[in-house]
Amino acid sequence: MQLLRSFSDAPAHNSALERRFLSEPPPAPDRLLRYVNRPSVIVGRNQAIEAEVDTDYCRKQGIEVVRRISGGGAVYHDRGNINYAFIVARGEEALPDTDFTKPLRDALRSFGIATTVGARKELLVQGGMKISGTAAHAGRERFLFHGTLLHRTDLRCMSLALRNDPALRGKRIASVASPVVNLADLTGDTASTEDFLARLLAFFERYYGVKTVPC
């Protein structure tokens, strides 16, 4: 596993990184990419933007709207949210059934945070509160599984940016609203999101036995 950290906060750039790694021909290495975006809404490939996003609010607040390659619902990113993406060779293994959440759950368990996996492969804490939403996409040779991790996200801004209008949805995919909580609020941790990410990076370096490379 190659561990990567993007230091760009541009959502379009980091989305393009995921697509580039996904489209690489073999024998490309399996990768785990981590990054933190500036305020943005990332919309699933099969969604109607005008139905899932309050575009007027986003425009006024300078919140970018980017469409990703994977399916699922719209999600909000900001500098209090950590993003992770596994990009691995498909091979003969039934990758959609692979538990890509396990390394992250192991990391959180080492910090004293117990999680379970929901029906949509989201990560939940006690009380059914969501801390991480996920999505996936199968390329010709490689498979992408990516997700968010709420640490200090502005939940009010998230709610306002993701105000939706079902009347505009038609037959497009709807976002599924879930109760969410920030890890910092859950644990009372005073660390910044960058400090928390540094702890995660250190855990994964021990977990996989390799160093993180900037990209």
Side-chain angles (χ1 to χ4, degrees):
M1 182 70 71
Q2 185 181 55
L3 303 183
L4 300 174
R5 165 74 200 276
S6 169
F7 286 95
S8 172
D9 68 353
H13 173 85
N14 289 319
S15 181
L17 271 181
E18 293 182 350
R19 293 195 302 272
R20 182 171 66 115
F21 293 145
L22 181 69
S23 65
E24 283 184 319
D30 290 347
R31 292 186 168 99
L32 172 55
L33 170 68
R34 279 71 48 87
Y35 57 90
V36 175
N37 279 335
R38 58 183 176 245
S40 50
V41 174
I42 315 300
V43 181
R45 66 178 298 174
N46 299 312
Q47 292 193 294
I49 291 175
E50 64 276 11
E52 308 302 330
V53 183
D54 188 331
T55 53
D56 287 340
Y57 175 81
C58 288
R59 183 170 54 254
K60 292 174 183 176
Q61 298 298 318
I63 297 171
E64 299 171 62
V65 180
V66 175
R67 188 181 295 279
R68 65 177 183 269
I69 194 172
S70 61
V75 293
Y76 176 77
H77 292 179
D78 65 11
R79 292 183 175 87
N81 172 75
I82 295 168
N83 301 285
Y84 57 92
F86 290 88
I87 307 105
V88 301
R90 292 181 68 177
E92 300 298 325
E93 190 176 359
L95 284 174
D97 295 326
T98 300
D99 187 3
F100 289 101
T101 68
K102 185 179 184 303
L104 183 58
R105 289 189 290 117
D106 288 346
L108 294 174
R109 186 182 303 112
S110 76
F111 303 154
I113 304 166
T115 60
T116 58
V117 181
R120 293 179 295 278
K121 299 188 185 300
E122 71 275 30
L123 290 188
L124 307 171
V125 293
Q126 188 174 10
M129 303 290 281
K130 185 166 75 172
I131 58 167
S132 176
T134 69
H137 179 77
R140 180 172 298 178
E141 302 284 351
R142 302 178 67 72
F143 186 82
L144 166 68
F145 181 90
H146 55 181
T148 62
L149 184 62
L150 300 174
H151 183 253
R152 290 189 181 278
T153 294
D154 185 334
L155 299 183
R156 179 179 179 276
C157 190
M158 172 194 289
S159 177
L160 293 172
L162 297 180
R163 283 184 297 195
N164 56 42
D165 187 348
L168 300 174
R169 186 171 292 134
K171 295 182 179 181
R172 295 295 192 98
I173 299 298
S175 298
V176 179
S178 303
V180 297
V181 65
N182 278 314
L183 286 172
D185 296 331
L186 180 70
T187 64
D189 185 10
T190 60
S192 69
T193 298
E194 280 297 330
D195 286 343
F196 186 78
L197 175 55
R199 291 166 59 192
L200 281 177
L201 294 177
F203 176 90
F204 286 125
E205 288 178 350
R206 295 191 299 271
Y207 193 91
Y208 289 108
V210 294
K211 291 293 186 181
T212 299
V213 178
C215 66

